Amino acid sequence: VTALASGEPGRREQGAAVGGDAWRAALETVAEAAEAHAAEADVRAAFPEEAVAAMRATGLLGLLVPRVFGGYGGDVRSLVEASIRLGRADLSTAMVFAMHCQQVGTLVRHADERLRRELLPEIAVGGMYLGSVTTEVGKGGRLLSADSPLDDFGDALALDRRAPVVTGGRHADGFLLTMRSPAAETDNLVSLVFARRDQLTVEDWGGAWDTLGMRASDSGGLRLRGRLPRRQLIGRDGCFREISIATFAPLAHLGWSACWLGSASGALARTLTVLRQERRGRAGADGSELLAHRLSGVRQQLDTVYALLAHCCTLVEREQDLSRPRIQLMLNALKLSASEATHRAVEQLVEVVGMRHGYLRGSPTRLERVLRDLRSATLNFHNDRLHAVDGRLAFLDPGVGFAETATAGAEGGGPAFFPKEAL
Ligand SMILES: Cc1cc2nc3c(=O)[nH]c(=O)nc-3n(C[C@H](O)[C@H](O)[C@H](O)COP(=O)(O)OP(=O)(O)OC[C@H]3O[C@@H](n4cnc5c(N)ncnc54)[C@H](O)[C@@H]3O)c2cc1C
């Protein structure tokens, strides 16, 4: 409790035995902290410091860190379950967590052994919260290109990066950044590099994060400058495209979609509670056909997103080559569908309960905040960009098959996404 209250990292000893379910207790602690402060954090557009302190103190920041490095050894499904749970409590907190885990999963799978040994134990004891720097002024959300170069000084690389949107960036202890490779002649040879905060000069840049929703994610812009040892490149120089296909994009689509689904399903659960309570006072208040019809539509959309999410989890866990068009299309469909359906479902809940519980800030349904938060979902890697990609991918699968998991599998010989021996 003391460690939680003070936000000290490292309450869990490195390498301490952690049971298979221990992370779920940590998750509940974090979710409670998120829930307790979410309303105020939204009003003040303040970072969810209490919840992140709880992530540090309980070791939840190390959910995906293999057990040999002191983490919980969680897998893709743990990430999804945790993101749904946190999404139910507060979408900003959930996004902060899911995006951190996307960076951790990338380090686990692509950093070299020395960097893994250095960073993963630190993450497991709560000492390193990671921000993600991919968006850039000019190129916007184009993930697989970079304008800002890494300057090559032999053993050292220098960077000067303006990042207009960095979730939790002002609070991060380190960053994974996409940069133009020193060897690049065009903007699409992109490298991924790790930087500790204390290796950089970090300045607020581009104005305050004063937004419609996701206010507590504190995703304001930063300018980051510094010199890094070359060994902090993740994977080979210029190979971010491969990292993105294998790990970075799949974890983003799974994590974000889980956060959005959690947020919308929490909204439905609270709405059902309110409707039940009101029914107690007024016989037959739930009897309207229109109400049943609308609630059914909301539930249907959430179940559909869940089914897609579960299918994509299996694909990511079992398929060796995620670059195949059918798989890319399915993973993109998850992001597109989840971002649209969860927002639409909450919009419909507003119609179900009307003014008092759908539009007023103080309602226990919290629909007003959830609706504002979920409005960001289509913009968080703009759906227009994904549709443009998918339109081209569709031509690569002219027979219109669908990504199934029958061909390969962990049991069928394909390696697990996070190999078991590393857990
Ligand atoms: C809550 C939140 C958190 C975020 N956190 C981070 C973070 O931690 N790190 C980070 O790097 N980024 C982050 N982002 C940035 C995000 O992922 C987007 O890249 C960023 O918002 C750029 O969005 P944009 O609207 O400028 O879209 P862009 O993708 O730059 O597009 C700009 C406009 O062009 C249109 N457009 C784009 N592509 C096409 C096309 N091919 N055809 C036609 N029209 C097109 C779009 O409709 C859009 O209106 C975050 C965003 C949000 C909302």
Side-chain angles (χ1 to χ4, degrees), residues 179 313 361:
M179 300 292 301
C313 258
R361 277 205 167 156

Side-chain angles (χ1 to χ4, degrees), residues 95 99 102-103 131-136 138-143 161 163-169 176 178 209 211 213-215 217 219 256 260 373 375-389 392:
M95 269 293 169
M99 295 201 58
Q102 179 198 18
Q103 316 312 303
S132 171
V133 177
T134 60
T135 304
E136 202 170 2
K139 74 157 206 202
R142 279 194 300 139
L143 187 62
R161 179 72 148 85
V165 201
V166 189
T167 292
L176 296 197
T178 53
W209 181 253
T211 47
M214 300 302 289
R215 293 171 57 77
S217 70
S219 301
W256 298 343
W260 299 327
D373 284 345
R375 186 60 193 83
S376 68
T378 59
L379 309 178
N380 194 353
F381 199 86
H382 208 296
N383 280 6
D384 285 352
R385 282 197 189 280
L386 274 186
H387 278 303
V389 170
R392 293 185 183 94

Side-chain angles (χ1 to χ4, degrees), residues 35-367:
E35 190 125 21
H37 298 278
E40 193 204 338
D42 173 60
V43 171
R44 292 179 28 234
F47 190 67
E49 287 184 22
E50 295 81 2
V52 173
M55 288 179 207
R56 291 183 188 275
T58 60
L60 197 68
L61 285 181
L63 177 67
L64 299 185
V65 172
R67 288 192 189 149
V68 289
F69 294 112
Y72 284 114
D75 57 11
V76 174
R77 281 179 200 269
S78 324
L79 168 64
V80 164
E81 183 183 328
S83 300
I84 290 177
R85 175 66 187 95
L86 293 181
R88 287 174 84 105
D90 174 41
L91 187 52
S92 286
T93 305
M95 269 293 169
V96 162
F97 174 74
M99 295 201 58
H100 161 82
C101 286
Q102 179 198 18
Q103 316 312 303
V104 176
T106 301
L107 286 173
V108 169
R109 297 193 81 209
H110 301 279
D112 69 17
E113 199 52 28
R114 181 170 166 190
L115 203 53
R116 279 159 47 101
R117 281 183 195 285
E118 188 182 314
L119 293 180
L120 297 180
E122 202 176 338
I123 295 168
V125 296
M128 168 90 41
Y129 158 60
L130 291 167
S132 171
V133 177
T134 60
T135 304
E136 202 170 2
V137 178
K139 74 157 206 202
R142 279 194 300 139
L143 187 62
L144 299 179
S145 71
D147 290 335
S148 301
L150 274 175
D151 289 323
D152 196 342
F153 291 90
D155 283 346
L157 298 166
L159 61 85
D160 181 355
R161 179 72 148 85
R162 289 169 176 84
V165 201
V166 189
T167 292
R170 294 198 305 143
H171 312 263
D173 308 296
F175 305 88
L176 296 197
L177 308 95
T178 53
M179 300 292 301
R180 191 190 288 209
S181 158
E185 285 172 7
T186 59
D187 65 1
N188 58 10
L189 196 65
V190 179
S191 299
L192 187 66
V193 66
F194 164 75
R196 283 183 185 277
R197 183 178 206 96
D198 59 16
Q199 291 174 314
L200 300 171
T201 303
V202 181
E203 298 161 83
D204 286 352
W205 179 81
W209 181 253
D210 188 5
T211 47
L212 176 70
M214 300 302 289
R215 293 171 57 77
S217 70
D218 198 354
S219 301
L222 299 175
R223 182 174 180 190
L224 307 125
R225 283 174 293 166
R227 229 175 215 251
L228 311 167
R230 175 178 282 275
R231 63 179 186 79
Q232 288 183 201
L233 279 172
I234 313 292
R236 281 180 296 104
D237 182 26
C239 78
F240 178 64
R241 188 171 193 282
E242 291 156 36
I243 293 175
S244 178
I245 289 170
T247 307
F248 202 80
L251 288 185
H253 290 196
L254 290 168
W256 298 343
S257 300
C259 292
W260 299 327
L261 182 61
S263 178
S265 56
L268 174 57
R270 291 188 297 273
T271 301
L272 291 170
T273 302
V274 163
L275 288 170
R276 277 225 170 107
Q277 285 164 350
E278 302 222 322
R279 189 177 62 176
R280 255 181 241 137
R282 284 187 292 141
D286 69 330
S288 120
E289 281 302 315
L290 183 59
L291 179 74
H293 191 90
R294 283 177 168 161
L295 282 177
S296 159
V298 170
R299 178 69 205 223
Q300 172 205 352
Q301 289 179 76
L302 301 190
D303 277 326
T304 305
V305 171
Y306 182 80
L308 189 50
L309 185 55
H311 180 55
C312 285
C313 258
T314 309
L315 281 176
V316 166
E317 279 172 340
R318 296 190 175 181
E319 293 290 333
Q320 293 187 55
D321 180 8
L322 297 179
S323 71
R324 288 165 47 210
R326 286 178 188 178
I327 296 179
Q328 291 281 302
L329 283 160
M330 193 64 81
L331 290 170
N332 291 347
L334 170 64
K335 194 276 164 177
L336 293 166
S337 304
S339 62
E340 289 166 6
T342 53
H343 179 262
R344 195 167 50 236
V346 175
E347 174 78 40
Q348 285 165 1
L349 284 177
V350 173
E351 296 296 334
V352 168
V353 291
M355 185 82 192
R356 185 166 140 230
H357 286 302
Y359 204 65
L360 296 194
R361 277 205 167 156
S363 168
T365 62
R366 296 184 228 147
L367 293 184

